[in-house]
Amino acid sequence: MDAVPAVKRYRSIWISDVHLGTRGCQAELLLDFLKHTESDHLFLVGDIVDGWRLKKTWYWPQAHNDVVQKIMRRARKGVEVYYIPGNHDEAARDYVGLQFGGVHVVDEWIHTTADGRRLLITHGDRFDAVVRYAKWLALLGDHAYVALLQVNTLFNWARRKLGFRYWSLSAYLKHKAKTAVEFIGKYEEALGEEARRRKVDGVVCGHIHTAEMRDIEGILYCNDGDWVESCTALVEHDSGLLEIIHWAEVMAQRTPVHGPSPAKSPAKIGAKEREAA
C-alpha cells in the first residue's frame, strides 16, 4: 500500500484563477493541493469564483464548496489569508478593506519575502487592454474559452479512462497560437513596468492562466497560473526562494501512470539566481 504523502510547509502560497462555479474548475486537484500543503500566508490572487459564469448558469458541486471551506478553515487557524479580487469576481471589490471570517479583501498587496524582496501582488486584469477597454470583447472571448475548456474536460476524461495522466489540451493550443504568445509578452512587460514604477523588486499576478517566473530587466515577474488548465501555484520557501508547483505532475509522480514524460522541473528563482540573471 502506498505511503500517505507528507504535508509540505511553505512560508507563502499564491493561487489564482480557480474559477469556482464553472465545469472547467479542477477543484479536486486544488483540494488535494490544499490537503498536502500548509503556509503562514495564503494569497488568493483573483478569479477564485467565476461570477460571470454563475450569472448565466448556476453550477456549484460539493467539491467547490469544499474548497471555500478549506480556505476559511485556514484563516480560522491563524493563516494570514488575503483575497485580491479579479475581473471574474469583480463584485468582491466592493468589499475591499473588510474581512470575512479572517479573510482580508484587499485591492492589491505588497509582500516582503524572507530574503527581503518586495513583491506587488495584483490579479492583473487592469493591465489587460481587452478587459479594461472592451469588456464586451472579453465576454465574447469568455464564451469561446468555456467551450474550449469543455472539450478539455472531455479529452482528459478519456485520458483517465485509458490510464493516462492529466494534460491540458487548452493550454497547449493557447501556447501554439501566435497572437496569444504576443499578448502574454505584452502583458508581462506591462506588469514589469508597473513594478518598476512602484519601486518594488517584483510582481505576482494571475489572470492569463500561464504560470511563469522570469526576470524582466531587473524585475522579477511571477504568474501563479490557474486551476482550470495548468493546476499550478507559486510558493515561497522559508529561505525566500520562490517556486512554481505543477500539482498535476506532483500527483502523477505520487501514483505513476502511463503517458508522456513529465515536463521539466518547476522553475525556481531565488535571490542568488536573480542576481545572476
Side-chain angles (χ1 to χ4, degrees):
M1 184 170 65
D2 294 337
V4 177
V7 174
K8 181 72 174 179
R9 184 192 172 279
Y10 299 101
R11 184 170 184 264
S12 307
I13 293 175
W14 290 264
I15 61 174
S16 75
D17 299 273
V18 179
H19 292 274
L20 295 170
T22 68
R23 296 183 186 277
C25 171
Q26 301 291 334
E28 289 78 10
L29 270 73
L30 179 54
L31 284 169
D32 189 77
F33 172 79
L34 294 173
K35 178 181 178 181
H36 293 104
T37 58
E38 293 179 350
S39 63
D40 299 326
H41 315 278
L42 174 61
F43 296 96
L44 310 173
V45 195
D47 286 2
I48 304 303
V49 176
D50 197 320
W52 289 10
R53 189 54 42 193
L54 287 174
K55 284 181 181 179
K56 300 178 183 299
T57 305
W58 184 259
Y59 178 76
W60 196 266
Q62 184 60 44
H64 294 207
N65 198 57
D66 291 344
V67 169
V68 174
Q69 291 300 320
K70 273 194 173 292
I71 291 172
M72 298 298 291
R73 191 175 300 121
R74 290 198 174 192
R76 290 196 299 271
K77 289 184 176 180
V79 176
E80 293 185 5
V81 181
Y82 296 93
Y83 177 23
I84 299 100
N87 52 305
H88 282 258
D89 49 12
E90 59 191 351
R93 286 173 173 159
D94 293 338
Y95 303 98
V96 164
L98 303 178
Q99 63 168 300
F100 300 92
V103 177
H104 302 269
V105 184
V106 295
D107 190 51
E108 61 181 34
W109 194 256
I110 293 182
H111 172 72
T112 302
T113 61
D115 55 3
R117 290 174 290 171
R118 298 172 69 244
L119 305 176
L120 171 66
I121 306 172
T122 178
H123 177 64
D125 59 297
R126 289 168 177 167
F127 300 89
D128 180 344
V130 173
V131 171
R132 189 170 182 181
Y133 300 112
K135 189 173 181 179
W136 67 270
L137 187 57
L139 290 169
L140 181 62
D142 181 60
H143 284 292
Y145 184 63
V146 168
L148 180 58
L149 287 180
Q150 290 174 344
V151 173
N152 189 67
T153 300
L154 291 172
F155 175 75
N156 275 287
W157 174 84
R159 284 179 64 86
R160 284 195 299 272
K161 290 293 184 181
L162 294 172
F164 290 88
R165 66 185 60 172
Y166 177 85
W167 183 74
S168 179
L169 173 65
S170 53
Y172 173 79
L173 293 175
K174 184 169 66 175
H175 280 284
K176 285 295 183 181
K178 181 179 178 181
T179 53
V181 173
E182 291 175 349
F183 167 79
I184 291 170
K186 291 179 181 178
Y187 175 82
E188 293 174 349
E189 291 171 4
L191 279 158
E193 284 298 322
E194 178 65 12
R196 189 172 294 105
R197 185 183 73 81
R198 300 284 289 275
K199 301 185 185 304
V200 294
D201 299 294
V203 60
V204 178
C205 61
H207 184 56
I208 60 172
H209 295 204
T210 304
E212 180 69 58
M213 184 158 52
R214 67 185 184 93
D215 183 276
I216 302 178
E217 297 181 359
I219 295 295
L220 178 60
Y221 169 86
C222 301
N223 192 306
D224 58 24
D226 66 279
W227 287 87
V228 294
E229 296 180 61
S230 57
C231 299
T232 54
L234 177 70
V235 299
E236 177 194 2
H237 294 267
D238 287 335
S239 64
L241 182 71
L242 300 175
E243 177 184 3
I244 293 174
I245 302 294
H246 296 257
W247 198 248
E249 293 179 9
V250 172
M251 291 182 68
Q253 292 168 8
R254 188 193 310 159
T255 308
V257 293
H258 301 294
S261 301
K264 295 180 180 179
S265 300
K268 296 182 180 180
I269 296 183
K272 291 183 180 180
E273 291 94 335
R274 184 167 172 270
E275 289 173 2

